[in-house]
Amino acid sequence: MNQPLPADQRAMLRRVRPVQLIFLGFLLVTAAGTGLLLLPAATAPGGQTDFIHALFTATSALCVTGLTVVDTGSHFSVFGQVVILVLIQLGGFGVMTFATVVGLMVLGRLSLRSKLLAATEAKSLGLADLRSLILGIIKISLVIEAVLAVILSLRLHLGYDMSLGDAIWHGSFHAVSAFNNAGFALYSDSMMGFVGDPVIGLPLCAAIILGGLGFPVIMQLRRRFRTPRLWSMHTRIVVWATSVLLVLGTGMILALEWSNPATLGPMSWPEKLLASFFQSVQTRTAGFNSVDISAMKPTTWLGMDVLMFIGGAPAGTAGGIKVTTVAVLLFIVFTELRGDAAVNIFGKRLSRAVHRQAIAVVLLAGSLVVVVTGALMHLSGLPLDQVLFETVSAFSTVGLSTGITAELPMLGQLMLVLLMFIGRVGPITFASALALRERRTLYELPKERPIIG
């Protein structure tokens, strides 16, 4: 168990506002990325990047979203693509987590403020094991990205006659983009050219799933993969919920798009299965697509809206309201229906504070999506199904699109920028960062209850 902090450190903990510094850190890196993308060297010869497009791209990269208003592969130069890749990696690590790593390398130790910032951003439950957690995050990220980069580079070089240099660059770019659940691609049609290639598709899916599990889950599975009875409640919820959602998503896309001539219709059944699984994985909040999303049926869009809104697991590279939030709410409902006094999950009692957090996250996220969807419909005149898909994709940092992003008016694109930012830092973190001060209530009011339902 973690030892309690000394009195002077507890006092400092009450004064510091980690969420505000995380908020400012993301703003500063976004501003730096925007400035770099505005440089003439960041754009391909003959092209030009205006402020809105640079801001949108920088935010999308740092928030590991993948929504684009220009074609990444043709509009940006190699320098611009490197800037985007660095922003993706920073977004996946976490700005404050990366700063903490730099502090470790330079100073060899962590101040309490650095520990608080990194623990808040990494969703760590304590400060004692923070050093090993951060180093574990770096190690896991680099190893998975390196393995995937080798696989993709070899396949592109040997199977698609791409030069070795281009294959290494493309393989490395898409490996970082995949593990960080970013979905940025160097091809104008994303991964549609590899729709039937399992050597490309399945490794990308594996990296996306691992990134979406969250670093604490990956680290625990690495140590105790063969002893599930020793897994924490968090790990069990994440593994169970992720598996169920992947299967349900694959089945839904396969069933709804089976005969669609613009998507799965012309494919053989193995290709249909691979494409359906690939797109189901992308709803974990990566943004690649191997079929034309704009040609999918509105029913499929709606199902994908739900999957994207849920997203992946906390403390990883995925977005959304997180699978743990949805699982907690489902268990609360089941407990209420059964008439039990406490919410029990996998043999453990759930803290009542978690109830409030889950409800707050869902209500804040749902409200944001509804408000922005309505505003974008008013500004653009586009139909609800397409606008809702775009809005959920932005908030959940997914990056899938029906193709309307570049068509939105400037104000609409700025709204998506804000939504991506909120989605990445989290709605509660964002709201807390805007709060002028923390309030501690020293009294309780008498209880009374309204009629519910």
Side-chain angles (χ1 to χ4, degrees), residues 245-273:
L245 290 173
L246 285 174
V247 173
L248 290 178
T250 301
M252 178 203 69
I253 295 171
L254 189 64
L256 295 176
E257 297 293 323
W258 181 272
S259 58
N260 187 342
T263 55
L264 302 185
M267 301 179 189
S268 63
W269 73 263
E271 289 179 331
K272 290 180 179 181
L273 183 61

Side-chain angles (χ1 to χ4, degrees), residues 32-52:
T34 302
L36 290 173
L37 291 178
L38 283 172
L39 295 175
T43 307
Q48 185 176 1
T49 304
D50 61 28
F51 175 76
I52 297 299

